[in-house]
Amino acid sequence: MASAKSPARIRLFGVVFSALSLLAVAASAAQRSSPATRADSRYEALPLVRSHQNHLLVRVFINEKPALLIVDTGSPGTVIATKRCRFVGVGNVTPDSKLPSRVQVNGSYNKLVMLHALRLGGLNVADVPAVAVDLNGARRSAAMMHEVEADGILGADVLFATKAVLDCQRQLLVLNMQPELPGNRSEERRV
């Protein structure tokens, strides 16, 4: 008699286990598709593209022109390729801004320019100083690898200012849409 009930219990257990597994998979998929979505829209996750050279690239708009930037936490500042300055319409640093007109990068002096509007997803950052650098070597390397050429580098200056979190595993750049608001650091890290 016990053996007659065992197959029914096993089937019931299998159905319940399958249903729970499907719920877990659905919850996991929902979490992957919108990892930083919150009711208050405080965070936005931007997808990153990983190049064959292991660069993580993010699509942005500079002065409403599309651009592709390498995300580089080791770069202290944002960089724009000199060959792309005209296309994206960078501005000169004005004397009243108290910023130098040129800065030294890797032993050579480069012009400092202004990105009047940098749009990262839904986040707009105004008047970002950037260094105009000859990136021909990196662009040639990308061309040899049959990859899209980067227009510049998104540096630590913007990443710190936006309290960004780089998720290498999921290839996401998570931005705090309201970086000026104080927040719980541990909560921001869990996003």
Side-chain angles (χ1 to χ4, degrees):
M1 199 156 163
S3 62
K5 290 184 181 180
S6 292
R9 285 184 185 164
I10 291 172
R11 271 187 296 226
L12 179 61
F13 177 74
V15 169
V16 169
F17 181 75
S18 297
L20 289 175
S21 296
L22 286 174
L23 285 174
V25 168
S28 176
Q31 196 174 28
R32 277 194 308 273
S33 67
S34 58
T37 303
R38 301 217 185 231
D40 64 3
S41 301
R42 186 165 175 189
Y43 301 95
E44 181 176 356
L46 301 179
L48 298 172
V49 177
R50 185 174 176 188
S51 75
H52 294 295
Q53 299 178 71
N54 245 2
H55 292 134
L56 292 174
L57 304 145
V58 64
R59 296 192 184 282
V60 302
F61 286 88
I62 300 172
N63 300 329
E64 297 307 315
K65 303 283 183 167
L68 189 64
L69 300 180
I70 298 169
V71 178
D72 187 352
T73 60
S75 175
T78 295
V79 171
I80 186 78
T82 53
K83 289 199 172 198
R84 300 300 286 166
C85 285
R86 182 176 287 176
F87 172 74
V88 298
V90 300
N92 291 324
V93 173
T94 59
D96 62 327
S97 71
K98 297 185 175 126
L99 293 171
S101 61
R102 61 189 195 135
V103 293
Q104 191 173 10
V105 177
N106 294 334
S108 64
Y109 284 95
N110 296 278
K111 184 176 180 181
L112 192 65
V113 297
M114 293 299 283
L115 308 180
H116 294 297
L118 174 62
R119 183 161 43 100
L120 302 149
L123 182 66
N124 294 305
V125 185
D127 294 329
V128 175
V131 183
V133 175
D134 179 1
L135 295 178
N136 283 338
R139 293 171 64 82
R140 270 193 303 275
S141 177
M144 286 174 36
M145 299 289 290
H146 305 290
E147 293 185 330
V148 178
E149 299 171 11
D151 299 305
I153 297 170
L154 183 65
D157 56 341
V158 173
L159 297 172
F160 277 121
T162 59
K163 296 182 180 177
V165 175
L166 183 60
D167 185 336
C168 294
Q169 184 67 34
R170 294 187 291 176
Q171 294 181 15
L172 294 173
L173 181 63
V174 182
L175 302 173
N176 185 332
M177 300 300 285
Q178 300 168 345
E180 68 282 355
L181 294 179
N184 180 347
R185 287 269 190 214
S186 62
E187 177 185 281
E188 290 176 7
R189 286 189 196 120
R190 282 193 303 250
V191 172

mmCIF file with all atom_site columns, all heavy atoms in Angstrom, residues 101-124:
data_model
loop_
_atom_site.group_PDB
_atom_site.id
_atom_site.type_symbol
_atom_site.label_atom_id
_atom_site.label_alt_id
_atom_site.label_comp_id
_atom_site.label_asym_id
_atom_site.label_entity_id
_atom_site.label_seq_id
_atom_site.pdbx_PDB_ins_code
_atom_site.Cartn_x
_atom_site.Cartn_y
_atom_site.Cartn_z
_atom_site.occupancy
_atom_site.B_iso_or_equiv
_atom_site.pdbx_formal_charge
_atom_site.auth_seq_id
_atom_site.auth_comp_id
_atom_site.auth_asym_id
_atom_site.auth_atom_id
_atom_site.pdbx_PDB_model_num
ATOM 1   N N   . SER A 1 101 ? 44.937 75.193 -20.624 1.00 0.00 ? 101 SER A N   1
ATOM 2   C CA  . SER A 1 101 ? 44.585 74.921 -22.025 1.00 0.00 ? 101 SER A CA  1
ATOM 3   C C   . SER A 1 101 ? 45.220 73.630 -22.522 1.00 0.00 ? 101 SER A C   1
ATOM 4   O O   . SER A 1 101 ? 44.779 73.059 -23.516 1.00 0.00 ? 101 SER A O   1
ATOM 5   C CB  . SER A 1 101 ? 44.998 76.090 -22.918 1.00 0.00 ? 101 SER A CB  1
ATOM 6   O OG  . SER A 1 101 ? 46.400 76.262 -22.834 1.00 0.00 ? 101 SER A OG  1
ATOM 7   N N   . ARG A 1 102 ? 46.268 73.180 -21.836 1.00 0.00 ? 102 ARG A N   1
ATOM 8   C CA  . ARG A 1 102 ? 46.895 71.901 -22.189 1.00 0.00 ? 102 ARG A CA  1
ATOM 9   C C   . ARG A 1 102 ? 47.395 71.225 -20.917 1.00 0.00 ? 102 ARG A C   1
ATOM 10  O O   . ARG A 1 102 ? 47.659 71.875 -19.909 1.00 0.00 ? 102 ARG A O   1
ATOM 11  C CB  . ARG A 1 102 ? 47.996 72.065 -23.220 1.00 0.00 ? 102 ARG A CB  1
ATOM 12  C CG  . ARG A 1 102 ? 49.109 72.927 -22.778 1.00 0.00 ? 102 ARG A CG  1
ATOM 13  C CD  . ARG A 1 102 ? 50.067 73.227 -23.917 1.00 0.00 ? 102 ARG A CD  1
ATOM 14  N NE  . ARG A 1 102 ? 51.298 73.771 -23.354 1.00 0.00 ? 102 ARG A NE  1
ATOM 15  C CZ  . ARG A 1 102 ? 52.498 73.424 -23.690 1.00 0.00 ? 102 ARG A CZ  1
ATOM 16  N NH1 . ARG A 1 102 ? 52.683 72.525 -24.635 1.00 0.00 ? 102 ARG A NH1 1
ATOM 17  N NH2 . ARG A 1 102 ? 53.550 73.960 -23.138 1.00 0.00 ? 102 ARG A NH2 1
ATOM 18  N N   . VAL A 1 103 ? 47.491 69.894 -20.994 1.00 0.00 ? 103 VAL A N   1
ATOM 19  C CA  . VAL A 1 103 ? 47.929 69.099 -19.853 1.00 0.00 ? 103 VAL A CA  1
ATOM 20  C C   . VAL A 1 103 ? 48.951 68.066 -20.331 1.00 0.00 ? 103 VAL A C   1
ATOM 21  O O   . VAL A 1 103 ? 48.979 67.710 -21.505 1.00 0.00 ? 103 VAL A O   1
ATOM 22  C CB  . VAL A 1 103 ? 46.747 68.380 -19.155 1.00 0.00 ? 103 VAL A CB  1
ATOM 23  C CG1 . VAL A 1 103 ? 45.823 69.368 -18.500 1.00 0.00 ? 103 VAL A CG1 1
ATOM 24  C CG2 . VAL A 1 103 ? 45.991 67.492 -20.123 1.00 0.00 ? 103 VAL A CG2 1
ATOM 25  N N   . GLN A 1 104 ? 49.759 67.602 -19.406 1.00 0.00 ? 104 GLN A N   1
ATOM 26  C CA  . GLN A 1 104 ? 50.757 66.601 -19.747 1.00 0.00 ? 104 GLN A CA  1
ATOM 27  C C   . GLN A 1 104 ? 50.186 65.208 -19.503 1.00 0.00 ? 104 GLN A C   1
ATOM 28  O O   . GLN A 1 104 ? 49.698 64.897 -18.420 1.00 0.00 ? 104 GLN A O   1
ATOM 29  C CB  . GLN A 1 104 ? 52.016 66.800 -18.909 1.00 0.00 ? 104 GLN A CB  1
ATOM 30  C CG  . GLN A 1 104 ? 53.175 65.966 -19.389 1.00 0.00 ? 104 GLN A CG  1
ATOM 31  C CD  . GLN A 1 104 ? 54.464 66.298 -18.641 1.00 0.00 ? 104 GLN A CD  1
ATOM 32  O OE1 . GLN A 1 104 ? 54.458 67.002 -17.657 1.00 0.00 ? 104 GLN A OE1 1
ATOM 33  N NE2 . GLN A 1 104 ? 55.569 65.772 -19.140 1.00 0.00 ? 104 GLN A NE2 1
ATOM 34  N N   . VAL A 1 105 ? 50.241 64.382 -20.544 1.00 0.00 ? 105 VAL A N   1
ATOM 35  C CA  . VAL A 1 105 ? 49.769 63.006 -20.470 1.00 0.00 ? 105 VAL A CA  1
ATOM 36  C C   . VAL A 1 105 ? 50.857 62.114 -21.059 1.00 0.00 ? 105 VAL A C   1
ATOM 37  O O   . VAL A 1 105 ? 51.264 62.313 -22.202 1.00 0.00 ? 105 VAL A O   1
ATOM 38  C CB  . VAL A 1 105 ? 48.441 62.814 -21.257 1.00 0.00 ? 105 VAL A CB  1
ATOM 39  C CG1 . VAL A 1 105 ? 48.009 61.361 -21.236 1.00 0.00 ? 105 VAL A CG1 1
ATOM 40  C CG2 . VAL A 1 105 ? 47.358 63.718 -20.725 1.00 0.00 ? 105 VAL A CG2 1
ATOM 41  N N   . ASN A 1 106 ? 51.309 61.158 -20.268 1.00 0.00 ? 106 ASN A N   1
ATOM 42  C CA  . ASN A 1 106 ? 52.340 60.210 -20.713 1.00 0.00 ? 106 ASN A CA  1
ATOM 43  C C   . ASN A 1 106 ? 53.558 60.913 -21.319 1.00 0.00 ? 106 ASN A C   1
ATOM 44  O O   . ASN A 1 106 ? 54.087 60.498 -22.345 1.00 0.00 ? 106 ASN A O   1
ATOM 45  C CB  . ASN A 1 106 ? 51.762 59.198 -21.707 1.00 0.00 ? 106 ASN A CB  1
ATOM 46  C CG  . ASN A 1 106 ? 50.734 58.293 -21.066 1.00 0.00 ? 106 ASN A CG  1
ATOM 47  O OD1 . ASN A 1 106 ? 50.768 58.065 -19.855 1.00 0.00 ? 106 ASN A OD1 1
ATOM 48  N ND2 . ASN A 1 106 ? 49.828 57.785 -21.864 1.00 0.00 ? 106 ASN A ND2 1
ATOM 49  N N   . GLY A 1 107 ? 53.972 61.999 -20.710 1.00 0.00 ? 107 GLY A N   1
ATOM 50  C CA  . GLY A 1 107 ? 55.199 62.673 -21.123 1.00 0.00 ? 107 GLY A CA  1
ATOM 51  C C   . GLY A 1 107 ? 55.059 63.711 -22.212 1.00 0.00 ? 107 GLY A C   1
ATOM 52  O O   . GLY A 1 107 ? 56.021 64.394 -22.541 1.00 0.00 ? 107 GLY A O   1
ATOM 53  N N   . SER A 1 108 ? 53.873 63.866 -22.806 1.00 0.00 ? 108 SER A N   1
ATOM 54  C CA  . SER A 1 108 ? 53.704 64.895 -23.838 1.00 0.00 ? 108 SER A CA  1
ATOM 55  C C   . SER A 1 108 ? 52.506 65.778 -23.500 1.00 0.00 ? 108 SER A C   1
ATOM 56  O O   . SER A 1 108 ? 51.588 65.363 -22.788 1.00 0.00 ? 108 SER A O   1
ATOM 57  C CB  . SER A 1 108 ? 53.536 64.259 -25.217 1.00 0.00 ? 108 SER A CB  1
ATOM 58  O OG  . SER A 1 108 ? 52.355 63.500 -25.258 1.00 0.00 ? 108 SER A OG  1
ATOM 59  N N   . TYR A 1 109 ? 52.556 66.993 -24.010 1.00 0.00 ? 109 TYR A N   1
ATOM 60  C CA  . TYR A 1 109 ? 51.467 67.943 -23.745 1.00 0.00 ? 109 TYR A CA  1
ATOM 61  C C   . TYR A 1 109 ? 50.356 67.768 -24.766 1.00 0.00 ? 109 TYR A C   1
ATOM 62  O O   . TYR A 1 109 ? 50.608 67.611 -25.961 1.00 0.00 ? 109 TYR A O   1
ATOM 63  C CB  . TYR A 1 109 ? 51.993 69.374 -23.761 1.00 0.00 ? 109 TYR A CB  1
ATOM 64  C CG  . TYR A 1 109 ? 52.753 69.704 -22.498 1.00 0.00 ? 109 TYR A CG  1
ATOM 65  C CD1 . TYR A 1 109 ? 54.137 69.574 -22.452 1.00 0.00 ? 109 TYR A CD1 1
ATOM 66  C CD2 . TYR A 1 109 ? 52.079 70.115 -21.354 1.00 0.00 ? 109 TYR A CD2 1
ATOM 67  C CE1 . TYR A 1 109 ? 54.841 69.854 -21.285 1.00 0.00 ? 109 TYR A CE1 1
ATOM 68  C CE2 . TYR A 1 109 ? 52.769 70.394 -20.190 1.00 0.00 ? 109 TYR A CE2 1
ATOM 69  C CZ  . TYR A 1 109 ? 54.149 70.267 -20.163 1.00 0.00 ? 109 TYR A CZ  1
ATOM 70  O OH  . TYR A 1 109 ? 54.830 70.541 -19.008 1.00 0.00 ? 109 TYR A OH  1
ATOM 71  N N   . ASN A 1 110 ? 49.132 67.793 -24.260 1.00 0.00 ? 110 ASN A N   1
ATOM 72  C CA  . ASN A 1 110 ? 47.950 67.634 -25.104 1.00 0.00 ? 110 ASN A CA  1
ATOM 73  C C   . ASN A 1 110 ? 46.945 68.725 -24.774 1.00 0.00 ? 110 ASN A C   1
ATOM 74  O O   . ASN A 1 110 ? 46.883 69.207 -23.637 1.00 0.00 ? 110 ASN A O   1
ATOM 75  C CB  . ASN A 1 110 ? 47.305 66.262 -24.852 1.00 0.00 ? 110 ASN A CB  1
ATOM 76  C CG  . ASN A 1 110 ? 48.211 65.127 -25.246 1.00 0.00 ? 110 ASN A CG  1
ATOM 77  O OD1 . ASN A 1 110 ? 48.285 64.767 -26.396 1.00 0.00 ? 110 ASN A OD1 1
ATOM 78  N ND2 . ASN A 1 110 ? 48.928 64.589 -24.284 1.00 0.00 ? 110 ASN A ND2 1
ATOM 79  N N   . LYS A 1 111 ? 46.138 69.064 -25.746 1.00 0.00 ? 111 LYS A N   1
ATOM 80  C CA  . LYS A 1 111 ? 45.139 70.117 -25.595 1.00 0.00 ? 111 LYS A CA  1
ATOM 81  C C   . LYS A 1 111 ? 43.988 69.636 -24.709 1.00 0.00 ? 111 LYS A C   1
ATOM 82  O O   . LYS A 1 111 ? 43.520 68.500 -24.839 1.00 0.00 ? 111 LYS A O   1
ATOM 83  C CB  . LYS A 1 111 ? 44.606 70.493 -26.985 1.00 0.00 ? 111 LYS A CB  1
ATOM 84  C CG  . LYS A 1 111 ? 43.647 71.638 -26.989 1.00 0.00 ? 111 LYS A CG  1
ATOM 85  C CD  . LYS A 1 111 ? 43.253 71.989 -28.419 1.00 0.00 ? 111 LYS A CD  1
ATOM 86  C CE  . LYS A 1 111 ? 42.290 73.147 -28.432 1.00 0.00 ? 111 LYS A CE  1
ATOM 87  N NZ  . LYS A 1 111 ? 41.895 73.474 -29.800 1.00 0.00 ? 111 LYS A NZ  1
ATOM 88  N N   . LEU A 1 112 ? 43.537 70.509 -23.822 1.00 0.00 ? 112 LEU A N   1
ATOM 89  C CA  . LEU A 1 112 ? 42.359 70.236 -23.004 1.00 0.00 ? 112 LEU A CA  1
ATOM 90  C C   . LEU A 1 112 ? 41.165 70.855 -23.710 1.00 0.00 ? 112 LEU A C   1
ATOM 91  O O   . LEU A 1 112 ? 41.208 72.019 -24.128 1.00 0.00 ? 112 LEU A O   1
ATOM 92  C CB  . LEU A 1 112 ? 42.526 70.834 -21.602 1.00 0.00 ? 112 LEU A CB  1
ATOM 93  C CG  . LEU A 1 112 ? 41.513 70.395 -20.559 1.00 0.00 ? 112 LEU A CG  1
ATOM 94  C CD1 . LEU A 1 112 ? 41.653 68.907 -20.260 1.00 0.00 ? 112 LEU A CD1 1
ATOM 95  C CD2 . LEU A 1 112 ? 41.678 71.196 -19.277 1.00 0.00 ? 112 LEU A CD2 1
ATOM 96  N N   . VAL A 1 113 ? 40.114 70.081 -23.901 1.00 0.00 ? 113 VAL A N   1
ATOM 97  C CA  . VAL A 1 113 ? 38.901 70.544 -24.589 1.00 0.00 ? 113 VAL A CA  1
ATOM 98  C C   . VAL A 1 113 ? 37.691 70.315 -23.688 1.00 0.00 ? 113 VAL A C   1
ATOM 99  O O   . VAL A 1 113 ? 37.799 69.663 -22.647 1.00 0.00 ? 113 VAL A O   1
ATOM 100 C CB  . VAL A 1 113 ? 38.714 69.812 -25.945 1.00 0.00 ? 113 VAL A CB  1
ATOM 101 C CG1 . VAL A 1 113 ? 39.858 70.124 -26.894 1.00 0.00 ? 113 VAL A CG1 1
ATOM 102 C CG2 . VAL A 1 113 ? 38.590 68.307 -25.745 1.00 0.00 ? 113 VAL A CG2 1
ATOM 103 N N   . MET A 1 114 ? 36.562 70.851 -24.092 1.00 0.00 ? 114 MET A N   1
ATOM 104 C CA  . MET A 1 114 ? 35.317 70.687 -23.326 1.00 0.00 ? 114 MET A CA  1
ATOM 105 C C   . MET A 1 114 ? 34.310 69.883 -24.130 1.00 0.00 ? 114 MET A C   1
ATOM 106 O O   . MET A 1 114 ? 34.056 70.184 -25.299 1.00 0.00 ? 114 MET A O   1
ATOM 107 C CB  . MET A 1 114 ? 34.708 72.041 -22.982 1.00 0.00 ? 114 MET A CB  1
ATOM 108 C CG  . MET A 1 114 ? 35.537 72.858 -22.007 1.00 0.00 ? 114 MET A CG  1
ATOM 109 S SD  . MET A 1 114 ? 35.768 72.077 -20.415 1.00 0.00 ? 114 MET A SD  1
ATOM 110 C CE  . MET A 1 114 ? 34.210 72.370 -19.663 1.00 0.00 ? 114 MET A CE  1
ATOM 111 N N   . LEU A 1 115 ? 33.767 68.857 -23.484 1.00 0.00 ? 115 LEU A N   1
ATOM 112 C CA  . LEU A 1 115 ? 32.628 68.133 -24.048 1.00 0.00 ? 115 LEU A CA  1
ATOM 113 C C   . LEU A 1 115 ? 31.412 68.808 -23.419 1.00 0.00 ? 115 LEU A C   1
ATOM 114 O O   . LEU A 1 115 ? 31.126 68.597 -22.240 1.00 0.00 ? 115 LEU A O   1
ATOM 115 C CB  . LEU A 1 115 ? 32.690 66.648 -23.676 1.00 0.00 ? 115 LEU A CB  1
ATOM 116 C CG  . LEU A 1 115 ? 33.993 65.908 -23.967 1.00 0.00 ? 115 LEU A CG  1
ATOM 117 C CD1 . LEU A 1 115 ? 33.872 64.445 -23.535 1.00 0.00 ? 115 LEU A CD1 1
ATOM 118 C CD2 . LEU A 1 115 ? 34.367 66.007 -25.422 1.00 0.00 ? 115 LEU A CD2 1
ATOM 119 N N   . HIS A 1 116 ? 30.742 69.651 -24.168 1.00 0.00 ? 116 HIS A N   1
ATOM 120 C CA  . HIS A 1 116 ? 29.653 70.444 -23.591 1.00 0.00 ? 116 HIS A CA  1
ATOM 121 C C   . HIS A 1 116 ? 28.495 69.581 -23.109 1.00 0.00 ? 116 HIS A C   1
ATOM 122 O O   . HIS A 1 116 ? 27.826 69.922 -22.143 1.00 0.00 ? 116 HIS A O   1
ATOM 123 C CB  . HIS A 1 116 ? 29.187 71.510 -24.579 1.00 0.00 ? 116 HIS A CB  1
ATOM 124 C CG  . HIS A 1 116 ? 30.250 72.533 -24.844 1.00 0.00 ? 116 HIS A CG  1
ATOM 125 N ND1 . HIS A 1 116 ? 30.750 73.357 -23.872 1.00 0.00 ? 116 HIS A ND1 1
ATOM 126 C CD2 . HIS A 1 116 ? 30.929 72.823 -25.973 1.00 0.00 ? 116 HIS A CD2 1
ATOM 127 C CE1 . HIS A 1 116 ? 31.687 74.130 -24.385 1.00 0.00 ? 116 HIS A CE1 1
ATOM 128 N NE2 . HIS A 1 116 ? 31.817 73.820 -25.659 1.00 0.00 ? 116 HIS A NE2 1
ATOM 129 N N   . ALA A 1 117 ? 28.271 68.465 -23.777 1.00 0.00 ? 117 ALA A N   1
ATOM 130 C CA  . ALA A 1 117 ? 27.192 67.563 -23.364 1.00 0.00 ? 117 ALA A CA  1
ATOM 131 C C   . ALA A 1 117 ? 27.650 66.124 -23.575 1.00 0.00 ? 117 ALA A C   1
ATOM 132 O O   . ALA A 1 117 ? 27.939 65.724 -24.702 1.00 0.00 ? 117 ALA A O   1
ATOM 133 C CB  . ALA A 1 117 ? 25.926 67.832 -24.166 1.00 0.00 ? 117 ALA A CB  1
ATOM 134 N N   . LEU A 1 118 ? 27.719 65.379 -22.487 1.00 0.00 ? 118 LEU A N   1
ATOM 135 C CA  . LEU A 1 118 ? 28.060 63.953 -22.537 1.00 0.00 ? 118 LEU A CA  1
ATOM 136 C C   . LEU A 1 118 ? 26.848 63.204 -22.008 1.00 0.00 ? 118 LEU A C   1
ATOM 137 O O   . LEU A 1 118 ? 26.451 63.388 -20.860 1.00 0.00 ? 118 LEU A O   1
ATOM 138 C CB  . LEU A 1 118 ? 29.287 63.657 -21.681 1.00 0.00 ? 118 LEU A CB  1
ATOM 139 C CG  . LEU A 1 118 ? 29.678 62.186 -21.520 1.00 0.00 ? 118 LEU A CG  1
ATOM 140 C CD1 . LEU A 1 118 ? 30.031 61.553 -22.862 1.00 0.00 ? 118 LEU A CD1 1
ATOM 141 C CD2 . LEU A 1 118 ? 30.843 62.047 -20.552 1.00 0.00 ? 118 LEU A CD2 1
ATOM 142 N N   . ARG A 1 119 ? 26.235 62.385 -22.881 1.00 0.00 ? 119 ARG A N   1
ATOM 143 C CA  . ARG A 1 119 ? 25.046 61.632 -22.477 1.00 0.00 ? 119 ARG A CA  1
ATOM 144 C C   . ARG A 1 119 ? 25.394 60.160 -22.382 1.00 0.00 ? 119 ARG A C   1
ATOM 145 O O   . ARG A 1 119 ? 25.812 59.530 -23.344 1.00 0.00 ? 119 ARG A O   1
ATOM 146 C CB  . ARG A 1 119 ? 23.904 61.845 -23.462 1.00 0.00 ? 119 ARG A CB  1
ATOM 147 C CG  . ARG A 1 119 ? 22.630 61.128 -23.039 1.00 0.00 ? 119 ARG A CG  1
ATOM 148 C CD  . ARG A 1 119 ? 21.378 61.661 -23.710 1.00 0.00 ? 119 ARG A CD  1
ATOM 149 N NE  . ARG A 1 119 ? 21.502 61.935 -25.106 1.00 0.00 ? 119 ARG A NE  1
ATOM 150 C CZ  . ARG A 1 119 ? 21.082 61.123 -26.085 1.00 0.00 ? 119 ARG A CZ  1
ATOM 151 N NH1 . ARG A 1 119 ? 20.528 59.963 -25.792 1.00 0.00 ? 119 ARG A NH1 1
ATOM 152 N NH2 . ARG A 1 119 ? 21.204 61.471 -27.341 1.00 0.00 ? 119 ARG A NH2 1
ATOM 153 N N   . LEU A 1 120 ? 25.213 59.615 -21.174 1.00 0.00 ? 120 LEU A N   1
ATOM 154 C CA  . LEU A 1 120 ? 25.440 58.199 -20.881 1.00 0.00 ? 120 LEU A CA  1
ATOM 155 C C   . LEU A 1 120 ? 24.076 57.607 -20.560 1.00 0.00 ? 120 LEU A C   1
ATOM 156 O O   . LEU A 1 120 ? 23.576 57.794 -19.455 1.00 0.00 ? 120 LEU A O   1
ATOM 157 C CB  . LEU A 1 120 ? 26.364 58.034 -19.677 1.00 0.00 ? 120 LEU A CB  1
ATOM 158 C CG  . LEU A 1 120 ? 27.738 58.689 -19.786 1.00 0.00 ? 120 LEU A CG  1
ATOM 159 C CD1 . LEU A 1 120 ? 28.230 59.135 -18.442 1.00 0.00 ? 120 LEU A CD1 1
ATOM 160 C CD2 . LEU A 1 120 ? 28.689 57.711 -20.411 1.00 0.00 ? 120 LEU A CD2 1
ATOM 161 N N   . GLY A 1 121 ? 23.460 56.943 -21.506 1.00 0.00 ? 121 GLY A N   1
ATOM 162 C CA  . GLY A 1 121 ? 22.100 56.455 -21.287 1.00 0.00 ? 121 GLY A CA  1
ATOM 163 C C   . GLY A 1 121 ? 21.187 57.643 -21.057 1.00 0.00 ? 121 GLY A C   1
ATOM 164 O O   . GLY A 1 121 ? 21.126 58.559 -21.862 1.00 0.00 ? 121 GLY A O   1
ATOM 165 N N   . GLY A 1 122 ? 20.515 57.670 -19.917 1.00 0.00 ? 122 GLY A N   1
ATOM 166 C CA  . GLY A 1 122 ? 19.622 58.775 -19.581 1.00 0.00 ? 122 GLY A CA  1
ATOM 167 C C   . GLY A 1 122 ? 20.281 59.859 -18.752 1.00 0.00 ? 122 GLY A C   1
ATOM 168 O O   . GLY A 1 122 ? 19.634 60.824 -18.359 1.00 0.00 ? 122 GLY A O   1
ATOM 169 N N   . LEU A 1 123 ? 21.578 59.718 -18.472 1.00 0.00 ? 123 LEU A N   1
ATOM 170 C CA  . LEU A 1 123 ? 22.291 60.691 -17.648 1.00 0.00 ? 123 LEU A CA  1
ATOM 171 C C   . LEU A 1 123 ? 23.025 61.679 -18.536 1.00 0.00 ? 123 LEU A C   1
ATOM 172 O O   . LEU A 1 123 ? 23.810 61.290 -19.394 1.00 0.00 ? 123 LEU A O   1
ATOM 173 C CB  . LEU A 1 123 ? 23.287 59.976 -16.732 1.00 0.00 ? 123 LEU A CB  1
ATOM 174 C CG  . LEU A 1 123 ? 24.078 60.851 -15.776 1.00 0.00 ? 123 LEU A CG  1
ATOM 175 C CD1 . LEU A 1 123 ? 23.152 61.486 -14.738 1.00 0.00 ? 123 LEU A CD1 1
ATOM 176 C CD2 . LEU A 1 123 ? 25.149 60.032 -15.073 1.00 0.00 ? 123 LEU A CD2 1
ATOM 177 N N   . ASN A 1 124 ? 22.750 62.954 -18.329 1.00 0.00 ? 124 ASN A N   1
ATOM 178 C CA  . ASN A 1 124 ? 23.427 64.016 -19.065 1.00 0.00 ? 124 ASN A CA  1
ATOM 179 C C   . ASN A 1 124 ? 24.426 64.708 -18.155 1.00 0.00 ? 124 ASN A C   1
ATOM 180 O O   . ASN A 1 124 ? 24.060 65.173 -17.074 1.00 0.00 ? 124 ASN A O   1
ATOM 181 C CB  . ASN A 1 124 ? 22.411 65.040 -19.581 1.00 0.00 ? 124 ASN A CB  1
ATOM 182 C CG  . ASN A 1 124 ? 21.503 64.447 -20.620 1.00 0.00 ? 124 ASN A CG  1
ATOM 183 O OD1 . ASN A 1 124 ? 21.959 63.906 -21.616 1.00 0.00 ? 124 ASN A OD1 1
ATOM 184 N ND2 . ASN A 1 124 ? 20.203 64.516 -20.386 1.00 0.00 ? 124 ASN A ND2 1
#
